[in-house]
Amino acid sequence: MRSLAGGGAPALLWRTVLVAALVCGIGLLPWLSRTDPALTVLRARSADRDPDPETLRAIRDDLGLDDGPLALLGRWLGGLLHGDAGTSWVSGGQVLPGVGQALGASLLLMAGALVVAAGTAAAVCARTLRLGARGRLGARRPGGTATAVLAALPEFLVAAVLASVIGVQLGWLPALGWYGPQWMVLPSLALGLPAGAVLGRMLDDLLPGAFGEPWAMAAAARGVPSRSVARQAVRRCVPGLLPNLALFVVGLTGGSVAVEQIFDIPGLGRLTLQAALAQDLPVLQTGTLALVLLAATAGLLARLAARLLIGPALRDGALQSLHRPRPPAPRTLPLLYGGLLAAVIGFGLPRDPLALDTLARLHAPSPEHPFGTDALGRDVLARISHGALTTLGTALAVSAAALVAGLLLGLLPRVSGPLVDTLSAVPPVLAGLLVTGAMGSGPWTPAFAVAVVAWCPLAAHTSSLLRQERATTHLTATRALGAGRWYLLRHELLPAVAPPVARHALLRLPGIALSLAALGFLGLGAQPPSPDWGLLLAENQPYAERALWAVLFPAAVLALLGALAVTAAGGVRLPRRRTRPAGPAAPPADRVVPAPRRRPDHPEALLTPVSASQTEER
């Protein structure tokens, strides 16, 4: 267990330091935000009550705010050691029972979402599994447009559509509350469909390498049933996805705030958000600590499951590389999607995104307004086009920074592993509040807040692929022939790891764009009347039943961005190394060709094939 934890006592100490820093940062949140915590608590208790000095003084004395944050943190930790997390500053109730009930609801919702995600991932990979098990992957054409659209849709938009259409209009399933299994279906679909699309794309990226391994070819030659071959191929690829699956578990538990709000689910994410906004420190600290423990447990189980699935091959260096040279991907679809996105943006830039027309509120698409108007009569096409300049630019910058950080830190798993487990437990909303409190509100505050946690899935993906790539037979042979660490890193490990991680980063680009815009509602970034894409979706969501186009067109443009990112990711690969051209003719068989001189500092010379004439001469 110590080895699985990532290095024994040093790793455990590193995890403890990170958790302590996170808990202390949360304890300093009211003072970092430069607001009066007594006033915030009073407004959370009763918004209509007059904040006179006597009332605020009574709240400070009752909560002990004058003692300072360190004294408050010490009292909370002391009570936690005895099984008491204190009382809520807002409701006055015991914290631990409330957090336990909210965690139970979130875990149940997470389990339902994982079932939906597994089914979605299976549907995404079904075609590759069918062709690969029959040895016909060469006839497969790159696809994934539908998957990209599904992965790019925001969870709150999927939840709103399911609640309004299936729950309200059709009445097939309940849309509000948390009273039984029927109430789980719609929120599980809203959370599981986008997550399953992302996991399915990652698995579909690994399957061709598994079907190209010798065991798969031998199984096909001996007539092994295709179902067995497909099942073993999935088993071969799943260990590379388990770290990201653990991150999805934590994200679906604590990061599903919008879905819990829409469906009125008393989950841990919603409870943590309310506590953060009300600065209810006992609830916020206890909820965050529960998420950190869940993240550490999920990460440990993922590493244990990966070792059990791979078996002794990981220890003995007997694996085959799943990442082999890929054929050139067609450029038609990326050019088509990019041209459509550029046309939409260019066509709307000459229009005014802030012009109000109260007589044209919620008008349907027309020649004057091709995408219709919103609730204030503003042109939706103009707002989409002008919002693309800031949304896409910032999202690209954050994605590039997350990719670089994920690759670099993923190469150091003992450092990044505990850091990923800790930061992945922090909901994006809470990360935004902490960053704003430390840096202040500004135009780049949301970008930095999202970048703080955006690199975690990429680092986990890098570490997982690196662990398996180090155990491959060709790397073992190259190392035995005298190759050094830098040679292995530059010529073997990075060419195998960097392309799939880059494709993963492109797949998350639309989600990063939405995360940036979602922080605007907390005063941490773009505010109305800014035409940010996330704000467009959230502002027009209440009018989806009356004016579907106000939500449909921003969602369609976002889905177009996802399709562009996924299809462009298919062409991500490192350039091939240059090879020396072969001679015009082979030497005659009776002529003795001297063996090439082999230098130990150039491992590629040790891998030079020996001709038949050289073998006969020897």
Side-chain angles (χ1 to χ4, degrees):
M1 297 295 286
R2 289 176 57 187
S3 62
L4 290 175
L12 181 61
L13 179 61
W14 177 226
R15 289 177 185 272
T16 305
V17 170
L18 291 175
V19 174
L22 178 61
V23 173
C24 292
I26 293 174
L28 294 174
L29 180 61
W31 288 267
L32 289 175
S33 59
R34 302 172 183 86
T35 59
D36 187 359
L39 179 60
T40 305
V41 171
L42 177 62
R43 290 175 177 173
R45 290 178 177 178
S46 177
D48 299 332
R49 191 172 180 180
D50 186 21
D52 55 87
E54 291 78 8
T55 304
L56 296 179
R57 172 57 61 183
I59 292 177
R60 291 192 186 95
D61 294 339
D62 181 40
L63 302 179
L65 296 177
D66 292 336
D67 296 338
L70 295 181
L72 292 174
L73 181 61
R75 286 198 292 266
W76 177 76
L77 289 176
L80 195 64
L81 294 176
H82 298 86
D84 182 14
T87 59
S88 171
W89 288 2
V90 177
S91 65
Q94 290 293 319
V95 171
L96 208 55
V99 172
Q101 293 177 0
L103 179 61
S106 293
L107 290 177
L108 192 60
L109 177 60
M110 178 266 294
L114 284 181
V115 172
V116 176
T120 305
V124 170
C125 302
R127 184 168 176 268
T128 302
L129 287 172
R130 184 176 65 254
L131 295 177
R134 299 175 181 177
R136 296 167 53 189
L137 271 181
R140 188 189 67 154
R141 295 182 179 179
T145 301
T147 309
V149 171
L150 187 58
L153 291 179
E155 296 172 351
F156 70 85
L157 179 61
V158 177
V161 171
L162 292 177
S164 59
V165 175
I166 298 180
V168 178
Q169 295 181 4
L170 300 178
W172 292 350
L173 291 169
L176 293 176
W178 189 254
Y179 306 106
Q182 293 182 349
W183 282 262
M184 285 181 54
V185 177
L186 293 182
S188 297
L189 288 173
L191 290 173
L193 288 176
V198 175
L199 288 174
R201 286 295 305 178
M202 295 173 62
L203 179 59
D204 194 69
D205 189 49
L206 295 175
L207 283 174
F211 284 119
E213 291 184 343
W215 68 264
M217 301 178 183
R222 293 182 62 86
V224 176
S226 58
R227 291 185 178 180
S228 299
V229 177
R231 184 170 59 251
Q232 293 300 323
V234 172
R235 184 181 183 274
R236 173 69 178 89
C237 298
V238 161
L241 302 180
L242 285 175
N244 273 275
L245 182 60
L247 297 183
F248 272 107
V249 167
V250 181
L252 293 175
T253 304
S256 55
V257 180
V259 175
E260 292 177 355
Q261 293 269 21
I262 292 173
F263 291 102
D264 194 22
I265 299 174
L268 187 58
R270 183 181 178 187
L271 179 66
T272 306
L273 173 63
Q274 293 174 351
L277 296 178
Q279 295 184 359
D280 192 353
L281 290 188
V283 177
L284 181 58
Q285 290 171 329
T286 307
T288 305
L289 184 60
L291 289 175
V292 170
L293 294 177
L294 176 64
T297 303
L300 181 62
L301 292 177
R303 289 188 287 272
L304 177 62
R307 295 208 173 193
L308 291 178
L309 287 174
I310 297 177
L314 185 65
R315 182 189 66 247
D316 299 336
L319 290 176
Q320 296 288 329
S321 178
L322 290 177
H323 307 284
R324 302 182 180 186
R326 298 163 60 98
R331 301 178 181 179
T332 306
L333 287 179
L335 292 177
L336 176 61
Y337 296 141
L340 287 176
L341 185 60
V344 170
I345 296 174
F347 190 64
L349 284 178
R351 301 169 179 264
D352 187 0
L354 304 179
L356 302 177
D357 187 359
T358 56
L359 300 179
R361 297 175 62 250
L362 300 177
H363 274 198
S366 62
E368 184 180 1
H369 302 288
F371 285 4
T373 60
D374 62 5
L376 299 178
R378 297 172 296 192
D379 187 81
V380 175
L381 175 59
R383 295 183 62 76
I384 291 176
S385 301
H386 286 266
L389 300 179
T390 56
T391 303
L392 291 182
T394 308
L396 286 173
V398 172
S399 299
L403 175 59
V404 174
L407 282 174
L408 294 179
L409 292 175
L411 297 177
L412 304 172
R414 292 192 177 184
V415 176
S416 62
L419 193 59
V420 167
D421 292 343
T422 304
L423 290 181
S424 63
V426 181
V429 172
L430 181 57
L433 290 173
L434 292 174
V435 171
T436 302
M439 301 180 53
S441 181
W444 288 99
T445 300
F448 187 78
V450 174
V452 166
V453 295
W455 62 270
C456 293
L458 304 179
H461 196 188
T462 301
S463 298
S464 176
L465 298 180
L466 186 68
R467 187 181 302 111
Q468 295 192 50
E469 197 66 26
R470 283 176 173 172
T472 55
T473 54
H474 76 90
L475 197 75
T476 303
T478 308
R479 187 186 297 112
L481 293 174
R485 293 183 177 180
W486 287 109
Y487 178 88
L488 294 175
L489 180 64
R490 289 186 294 111
H491 295 276
E492 301 293 341
L493 296 177
L494 281 181
V497 172
V501 176
R503 292 191 289 270
H504 183 189
L506 280 175
L507 188 63
R508 291 185 176 270
L509 176 62
I512 289 179
L514 277 178
S515 299
L516 290 169
L519 292 177
F521 292 102
L522 299 177
L524 308 179
Q527 292 293 303
S530 172
D532 245 27
W533 286 1
L535 292 178
L536 294 182
L537 290 170
E539 290 173 349
N540 297 323
Q541 179 185 331
Y543 310 99
E545 296 183 8
R546 296 173 52 193
L548 182 60
W549 55 85
V551 176
L552 180 61
F553 284 111
V557 175
L558 186 64
L560 184 61
L561 172 63
L564 172 62
V566 171
T567 53
V572 173
R573 58 181 54 84
L574 292 182
R576 296 182 178 180
R577 288 175 292 176
R578 295 181 178 179
T579 57
R580 297 178 61 183
D590 57 341
R591 180 180 175 183
V592 178
V593 181
R597 298 179 60 186
R598 299 179 178 180
R599 298 174 56 187
D601 55 339
H602 290 277
E604 63 268 32
L606 301 176
L607 303 178
T608 303
V610 181
S611 63
S613 60
Q614 297 175 18
T615 306
E616 294 176 0
E617 179 66 19
R618 292 177 184 176

